[in-house]
Amino acid sequence: MPELDQVTSAGAREDLPLLREAAREAGAIAMRYFGNNPQVWMKGGTSPVSEADHAADAYLRQTLLAARPDYGWLSEETADDPARLAARRTFVVDPIDGTRGFLEGLRSWCVSVAVVEDGRTLAGVLECPATEETYWALPGEGAFLNGRRIAVRRPAAMVEIGGPKPLIALMPAEWQGRLSRVPYIPSLAYRLAMVANGRLDATFVKPNAHDWDIAAADLILREAGGALLDQKGRAPRYAGEVIHHGALVAGNGELLAVLSGIIAGLGG
């Protein structure tokens, strides 16, 4: 990523405390419902959304836009308004990333909040209250977990990979004996944070991830020394007209190159 100009960098630095505080409170709101059988609806017949999602989303939208009324708004739980495309900067939000796991009582879910400008994430926060983890990052300033700087895992003889079994099965034969597949993690943002924090070596991401799933985690991963790449080996861009993505891979070094080669050979 090119270095940010001073105005942009300063703006991102000013936005980070706002994101952190708003995400913290949204996480506290979600925790009131966690394990308490919140009301649930189905979106598109297959994807659950709960009253916790709606409550956290309403708080984030009110709080963030009150502080930055000129920013656009893109959230999983808010109808998309094309007017956001005229804004210089956009909040990209998932009030609960990993709703299915949240409803099943799994702790690996998070509030994901990012500020995006010109397709790039300028500030990103993942608030994971059930695990008592808060991740954040600014471009060029490192990635942090609860105030401690984090980094991706160094290469080792054995590697742990996340993602769909069919994609992992495409790994070259010389890697198969070195692989350990981690159990499914419903929150994609949390899975990317695990790569950033060195708890996971890499992950495949199946097609149709949306901006709100990955915009904050992408910056955190990149500032931790890793990368999130699409089928053409490029970093995704966010808050444009198209808000979903094809297959992606996350990791670093030689292993990331191998994963990238696999999705590059996929159709579409």
Side-chain angles (χ1 to χ4, degrees), residues 147-163:
R148 174 181 61 86
R149 190 158 186 159
I150 58 175
V152 294
R153 187 183 291 182
R154 294 179 179 179
M158 296 298 296
V159 296
E160 293 181 287
I161 293 183

Side-chain angles (χ1 to χ4, degrees), residues 41-49 76-77 100:
W41 303 268
M42 299 302 290
K43 298 184 298 184
T46 58
S47 180
V49 59
E76 180 173 16
E77 307 308 340
R100 197 179 300 275

Side-chain angles (χ1 to χ4, degrees), residues 146-263:
N146 294 349
R148 174 181 61 86
R149 190 158 186 159
I150 58 175
V152 294
R153 187 183 291 182
R154 294 179 179 179
M158 296 298 296
V159 296
E160 293 181 287
I161 293 183
K165 286 183 179 179
L167 289 176
I168 295 176
L170 296 176
M171 291 287 290
E174 62 269 25
W175 283 88
Q176 289 294 340
R178 300 174 56 188
L179 299 181
S180 172
R181 179 179 180 268
V182 299
Y184 177 62
I185 301 162
S187 168
L188 174 54
Y190 192 80
R191 198 188 331 154
L192 295 177
M194 289 176 67
V195 179
N197 193 25
R199 293 170 54 196
L200 188 62
D201 289 284
T203 187
F204 287 102
V205 179
K206 66 182 180 181
N208 208 37
H210 286 71
D211 286 0
W212 47 72
D213 299 313
I214 58 177
D218 183 354
L219 177 61
I220 293 164
L221 173 60
R222 185 165 62 251
E223 287 298 312
L228 179 68
L229 302 176
D230 66 15
Q231 288 177 264
K232 295 184 178 180
R234 303 173 303 193
R237 296 182 67 82
Y238 304 112
E241 293 185 11
V242 178
I243 58 172
H244 57 86
H245 305 267
L248 303 166
V249 291
N252 71 99
E254 181 187 6
L255 181 58
L256 177 61
V258 172
L259 270 63
S260 295
I262 289 171
I263 65 166

Side-chain angles (χ1 to χ4, degrees), residues 89-105:
R89 291 180 178 163
T90 300
F91 291 115
V92 180
V93 171
D94 193 339
I96 299 179
D97 187 74
T99 298
R100 197 179 300 275
F102 174 92
L103 296 172
E104 293 173 357

Side-chain angles (χ1 to χ4, degrees), residues 59-72:
Y59 171 80
L60 288 167
R61 186 177 188 190
Q62 178 180 1
T63 301
L64 295 174
L65 290 180
R68 303 286 191 272
D70 56 330
Y71 284 24

